[in-house]
Amino acid sequence: MAKSCFHCLEAVPSGFQGEVVFEGIANPVCCTGCQAVAETILAQGMSDYYKFRTESSGKVEELVPEQLKELLSYDNKDIQKDFVAEQGNLKEVLLSVEGISCAACAWLIEKQLLAIPGIKRVDVNTSTHRAMILWQDETTKLSEIIAALMQIGYKTYPFQADEEAAQKQAAAKAYMRRLGVAGLMTMQVMMFAFAMYFGMFSGMEEGFEQYFRWISLILASPVILYSALPFLTNAVKGLKSRQLNMDLPVSLAIFGAYGASCYATVMSVGEVYFESICMFTFLLLLGKYLEFRARMKASEFTANLQKLLPLTARRLSGTTEEVIAAKSLTLNDLILVKPGETIPADGIVVDGTSTVDESMMTGEHLPIKKFTNHQVYAGTLNHDGVITLKINKVGQNTLLNQIIKLQHNALMKRPKIVEVTDKVAQWFVACLLIFASITAIGWYHVEPEHAFWITIAVLVATCPCALSLAIPTALTCAVATLTRKGILIKEAHVLETAPKVSRYAFDKTGTLTEGRFTISNVTVLDEQYAESMILALASALERYSEHPIAKAFADEKVSFLEINKAKVSTGLGVSGQFEGKHIAIGKPSWFGSHASFAQATLFVDKRPIADFYLQDKVRTSAPEVVEYLQSHQLTCHMLTGDSSKAASDLSNELGLDSYKQACAPKDKQNEVEHWSDKGHIVAMVGDGVNDSPVFNSAHLSIAMETGADISKNTADVVLLNSDLNSLKTLQSVAIKTKQIIKQNLTISLLYNGSILPLAALGLVPPWLAVIGMSASSIVVITNSLRLLKL
């Protein structure tokens, strides 16, 4: 018998003498590549990989000099723009990793990479075969990270949507090949089986009947040894790693029945059931294939986002127009976008007017007017005008790629409920094996000839495939739907937390209001300062602020003044030095002595010089959203830093349950923590820098896309369309997702609970058992797919 390779489990060629010593035993390997990888893994103290892996590692190919040169190209900063994102002083990349087969692979990859200096975090997703890596580029190069993975047998390259599509296509073809063999051979075997069942061979010599049994065995063998082989492989590897996976009962049924039928054929005793085994395998593969297709449909939305980007762009050099590859664009390039063309990168409109379709990101299908100084995004469609853009974000920094990256992050993190159901499924398999053994013993003493097939029916019918699919498929579909509607889910717990929320807290400016202030009145408090000088000082200070109020002063036509030592005090205002004097603009109560209902006050040497009264328009969707939330027994509250009368007026206008004004960031945080201590589940909606601390205290944090970057980075959810109506969508989808998860769990548990006694009583034949098992999985997935239609 040929020896198998210790690393990849393939056959060792005759004449090759390579060995690897593991736990004092010399183990054969098939090539120098596998030998080098195995020795690297063992030398670095990661021998547990070989104890807990559940599938083969895949044959290793040694890197040749040409491949090493190609790896070095990944360190080129221009090339990295397409797939590497900046995270402060760190870099982040999403890699596609070939050869990942189980949890042990993920463990090995994480341990291998985290041992490299400069790597801060590694997240491996075994279902998508991707790894998200955060590292310090000055310490370790990307080529070294990829080479380190290749050294332990995993071919790695930056994630690309086209590559992923090719992998899915290859997986679909593999399913079709196995299905084709199973289907073709099943038809042939069934012909002989029906002929024997209905007595068409009656009157023939007994030797001919035995001859047809041998023909059936030959025809059934490719089905079992090729089409059904993955089930056995996974089951054996699971047992080696001391895990009971769902392929174990299926493998016991298929290969047990095949072995019994082979024995009956060779020994010319008993009955053979080759046709049942073949049909069983075919139906099982068909169910798995339909499940595969359904899962791909659930995740195709995010995969298609990457394909929205055009391949070319029109770059302007003076009066010359040049068509170049879109990925070659750099910061500050000027590009021309004509009607009907897709915008290739994020940029600012510097010339022209048009309308742009941003529905792929915001869910808003009405075209949005764009003119000078407006921001536009890669992947959106220019409608009816010619516009010139100045590129301000490229590569992984574009909004489209950030959405893709954040969605991958959310789907890589496993909610607690998924971990619980995975553990339940494992225990269920253990209980199933015990129950099947009891069934076999019981029936052997009653009807020995039926005991074997009844046991097989029990093993197959009650396999908990539907239970393991109940939650992941629902969450994937819900995240895809919310992204399509302009709601970006950044954390995995969002869909679990949203239905539990009992209290919504809102910031005022830029959240309940549009944050587009205009100065309605200026009250001069010190006559030695002219109003023009007051406005000039205020505008000069507000240039350093990201607060929505600052935009009101930016629109003023005033002379430019140079401010020294400018400092932003979060929740208070902006201060600095001008001609030797300390000047500041912010809350009227900043320096303690000035009481005013104004939205902002200008101070010189801490003395109030002028009050500014501003107007801000309430968002048209705010009354409707507050009414919707309150009708669903959710209380609505406002926490605002605004100390003016506008806060109380807005609270009365919207019918809020309570409001608290003049809040510093710490005050907002304390209020939310106080509510949490009383048992409330709190969702905080905001947009400003001062909302970042309270986001960390809220159970669910929601940021407006038009808000400050720090609030969007901290939040669990970002509303890409900055529309409060998205809260209604989020709440309704989260509630629907919870309902569908409950339905899925109910369907799977009711199915398993009802089919178990029926199968044990001998009322469910094996062929019906496999139909029931596959049908339960397909019903659960189809039920989850309803979330895509919301």
Side-chain angles (χ1 to χ4, degrees):
M1 182 177 177
K3 294 181 291 185
S4 61
C5 175
F6 172 69
H7 179 73
C8 71
L9 304 182
E10 292 188 12
V12 176
S14 59
F16 188 80
Q17 301 298 322
E19 290 182 339
V20 172
V21 178
F22 176 54
E23 295 183 342
I25 301 172
N27 298 276
V29 290
C30 66
C31 63
T32 55
C34 287
Q35 185 177 20
V37 168
E39 288 174 348
T40 299
I41 292 172
L42 296 175
Q44 294 184 7
M46 297 185 288
S47 58
D48 281 354
Y49 168 69
Y50 292 109
K51 296 179 183 178
F52 300 116
R53 62 177 178 173
T54 57
E55 289 194 11
S56 65
S57 308
K59 193 169 180 66
V60 178
E61 296 179 0
E62 293 184 273
L63 290 173
V64 296
E66 289 75 13
Q67 290 175 308
L68 293 172
K69 285 181 181 179
E70 185 180 346
L71 287 185
L72 292 175
S73 68
Y74 289 135
D75 298 332
N76 186 304
K77 291 185 178 179
D78 291 332
I79 294 175
Q80 284 188 1
K81 288 177 183 177
D82 290 336
F83 50 81
V84 173
E86 303 285 342
Q87 295 285 348
N89 62 339
L90 301 176
K91 289 188 174 182
E92 187 176 62
V93 67
L94 182 65
L95 299 176
S96 292
V97 186
E98 291 184 6
I100 292 178
S101 57
C102 59
C105 293
W107 173 85
L108 177 62
I109 290 169
E110 290 174 5
K111 194 169 180 66
Q112 170 80 352
L113 293 183
L114 290 172
I116 300 174
I119 294 187
K120 303 301 181 184
R121 198 183 86 202
V122 180
D123 292 318
V124 179
N125 189 321
T126 54
S127 61
T128 60
H129 292 194
R130 295 181 202 144
M132 186 78 78
I133 299 169
L134 194 67
W135 87 102
Q136 200 164 29
D137 193 54
E138 293 79 11
T139 307
T140 301
K141 299 299 180 186
L142 180 57
S143 61
E144 296 171 4
I145 296 171
I146 296 176
L149 287 177
M150 289 185 169
Q151 284 174 5
I152 57 170
Y154 296 97
K155 185 178 179 182
T156 307
Y157 42 85
F159 164 73
Q160 294 175 322
D162 291 339
E163 284 289 339
E164 184 183 61
Q167 288 178 6
K168 289 177 181 176
Q169 193 68 24
K173 286 180 179 178
Y175 269 115
M176 292 305 297
R177 282 195 297 270
R178 295 185 188 277
L179 261 175
V181 170
L184 182 62
M185 294 305 175
T186 297
M187 287 190 291
Q188 306 304 316
V189 175
M190 292 293 285
M191 285 193 301
F192 291 107
F194 278 121
M196 285 191 282
Y197 288 157
F198 294 107
M200 294 178 67
F201 297 145
S202 59
M204 283 188 174
E205 294 181 14
E206 188 176 332
F208 278 103
E209 184 177 342
Q210 185 64 16
Y211 170 75
F212 287 123
R213 282 192 175 193
W214 278 100
I215 294 293
S216 297
L217 187 155
I218 293 169
L219 292 172
S221 293
V223 178
I224 309 305
L225 302 179
Y226 172 68
S227 297
L229 192 60
F231 300 120
L232 178 64
T233 305
N234 292 336
V236 171
K237 301 301 170 53
L239 289 174
K240 284 184 177 179
S241 63
R242 299 175 185 175
Q243 291 182 343
L244 299 176
N245 58 35
M246 279 164 284
D247 288 319
L248 181 58
V250 170
S251 299
L252 287 173
I254 294 175
F255 289 89
Y258 177 68
S261 296
C262 287
Y263 177 82
T265 300
V266 173
M267 304 303 294
S268 300
V269 295
E271 297 293 329
V272 295
Y273 292 92
F274 290 117
E275 77 289 347
S276 296
I277 306 165
C278 291
M279 183 171 65
F280 173 79
T281 302
F282 174 75
L283 292 173
L284 192 63
L285 282 171
L286 181 62
K288 291 284 184 183
Y289 176 69
L290 293 175
E291 174 190 318
F292 169 78
R293 296 290 298 177
R295 288 172 115 176
M296 291 306 100
K297 184 177 180 182
S299 61
E300 69 183 2
F301 176 74
T302 48
N304 289 339
L305 282 178
Q306 189 77 50
K307 298 177 182 178
L308 292 170
L309 294 173
L311 296 175
T312 61
R314 304 173 188 273
R315 185 167 63 185
L316 299 176
S317 301
T319 58
T320 306
E321 180 184 316
E322 176 188 10
V323 177
I324 63 167
K327 65 181 183 180
S328 301
L329 291 171
T330 59
L331 292 177
N332 299 320
D333 276 353
L334 291 178
I335 63 169
L336 189 70
V337 183
K338 295 183 178 181
E341 293 183 342
T342 301
I343 295 170
D346 291 8
I348 300 292
V349 179
V350 294
D351 186 39
T353 302
S354 185
T355 54
V356 174
D357 179 3
E358 296 183 348
S359 60
M360 44 73 65
M361 283 191 292
T362 65
E364 175 55 62
H365 291 278
L366 292 175
I368 299 171
K369 189 79 171 178
K370 299 288 183 179
F371 44 87
T372 305
N373 294 327
H374 271 206
Q375 176 76 50
V376 294
Y377 302 104
T380 57
L381 182 66
N382 181 32
H383 269 191
D384 50 16
V386 178
I387 51 176
T388 302
L389 309 179
K390 184 177 183 180
I391 302 302
N392 63 355
K393 287 181 182 177
V394 293
Q396 289 297 300
N397 295 317
T398 62
L399 179 60
L400 181 66
N401 279 318
Q402 286 179 9
I403 291 171
I404 294 169
K405 181 183 69 175
L406 290 171
Q407 195 163 41
H408 281 309
N409 280 339
L411 292 174
M412 279 182 175
K413 297 171 184 174
R414 292 160 59 81
K416 291 181 181 178
I417 191 170
V418 175
E419 296 177 0
V420 170
T421 53
D422 283 352
K423 289 180 181 177
V424 169
Q426 280 208 19
W427 280 104
F428 195 96
V429 172
C431 294
L432 167 61
L433 293 175
I434 295 170
F435 187 83
S437 301
I438 295 171
T439 302
I441 294 169
W443 275 96
Y444 183 77
H445 287 90
V446 178
E447 293 184 37
E449 66 275 12
H450 291 141
F452 184 77
W453 297 106
I454 291 171
T455 304
I456 286 177
V458 169
L459 286 171
V460 174
T462 54
C463 186
C465 295
L467 181 63
S468 66
L469 294 169
I471 299 173
T473 52
L475 294 178
T476 302
C477 292
V479 169
T481 294
L482 290 171
T483 304
R484 191 179 71 245
K485 292 179 177 289
I487 303 168
L488 180 59
I489 305 296
K490 293 174 58 183
E491 298 295 332
H493 72 85
V494 169
L495 291 167
E496 283 186 273
T497 306
K500 303 175 185 175
V501 170
S502 59
R503 184 166 292 213
Y504 265 86
F506 295 88
D507 177 42
K508 171 181 166 286
T509 305
T511 304
L512 290 174
T513 65
E514 292 183 355
R516 297 174 184 172
F517 286 94
T518 56
I519 300 174
S520 61
N521 185 38
V522 179
T523 301
V524 179
L525 304 175
D526 190 332
E527 296 298 333
Q528 65 175 312
Y529 290 92
E531 185 172 323
S532 59
M533 184 61 179
I534 288 170
L535 286 172
L537 287 171
S539 298
L541 284 168
E542 292 289 11
R543 278 200 300 271
Y544 296 94
S545 174
E546 290 188 14
H547 196 282
I549 284 179
K551 296 175 183 176
F553 295 89
D555 294 336
E556 294 295 319
K557 301 293 187 291
V558 294
S559 56
F560 178 79
L561 299 178
E562 186 67 40
I563 302 297
N564 299 317
K565 299 180 181 179
K567 178 184 176 183
V568 177
S569 300
T570 304
L572 295 172
V574 188
S575 60
Q577 297 286 331
F578 177 72
E579 294 182 352
K581 293 183 178 181
H582 179 271
I583 60 172
I585 186 169
K587 283 187 173 182
S589 59
W590 189 353
F591 299 105
S593 60
H594 183 54
S596 171
F597 287 115
Q599 278 80 12
T601 299
L602 179 67
F603 299 88
V604 175
D605 292 333
K606 299 185 180 181
R607 290 187 302 105
I609 300 301
D611 283 337
F612 299 93
Y613 293 88
L614 310 174
Q615 289 181 334
D616 187 13
K617 186 179 178 182
V618 179
R619 288 189 185 272
T620 54
S621 56
E624 180 184 348
V625 170
V626 170
E627 183 181 353
Y628 171 85
L629 295 174
Q630 290 175 336
S631 68
H632 286 75
Q633 287 72 54
L634 302 174
T635 58
C636 297
H637 311 263
M638 181 170 65
L639 301 175
T640 177
D642 189 354
S643 58
S644 70
K645 191 173 181 294
S648 61
D649 291 343
L650 180 61
S651 178
N652 293 331
E653 181 182 347
L654 296 178
L656 299 177
D657 294 280
S658 74
Y659 75 96
K660 188 172 183 179
Q661 63 186 105
C663 293
K666 187 64 178 174
D667 297 329
K668 293 184 178 183
Q669 196 171 10
N670 290 340
E671 189 71 14
V672 168
E673 289 173 355
H674 173 68
W675 290 335
S676 298
D677 292 340
K678 288 187 172 183
H680 292 288
I681 305 298
V682 184
M684 179 71 200
V685 188
D687 74 320
V689 174
N690 60 343
D691 294 319
S692 179
V694 71
F695 278 179
N696 292 319
S697 297
H699 297 89
L700 181 63
S701 52
I702 304 168
M704 313 292 276
E705 199 282 326
T706 52
D709 287 341
I710 189 171
S711 67
K712 289 184 284 188
N713 291 337
T714 311
D716 301 323
V717 182
V718 178
L719 306 184
L720 296 175
N721 50 19
S722 294
D723 184 359
L724 287 176
N725 276 318
S726 294
L727 296 179
K728 294 164 58 180
T729 304
L730 173 62
Q731 200 68 25
S732 62
V733 170
I735 291 171
K736 188 67 174 177
T737 303
K738 183 179 179 180
Q739 291 172 350
I740 283 184
I741 287 175
K742 285 183 176 179
Q743 291 168 7
N744 287 349
L745 292 173
T746 302
I747 290 168
S748 58
L749 293 173
L750 280 178
Y751 165 74
N752 285 106
S754 59
I755 200 74
L756 186 59
L758 295 175
L761 291 172
L763 302 176
V764 180
W767 64 268
L768 186 59
V770 69
I771 291 176
M773 187 197 72
S774 299
S776 64
S777 297
I778 294 169
V779 167
V780 162
I781 294 172
T782 305
N783 191 43
S784 298
L785 289 175
R786 292 194 296 133
L787 288 166
L788 293 176
K789 298 178 181 179
L790 294 178

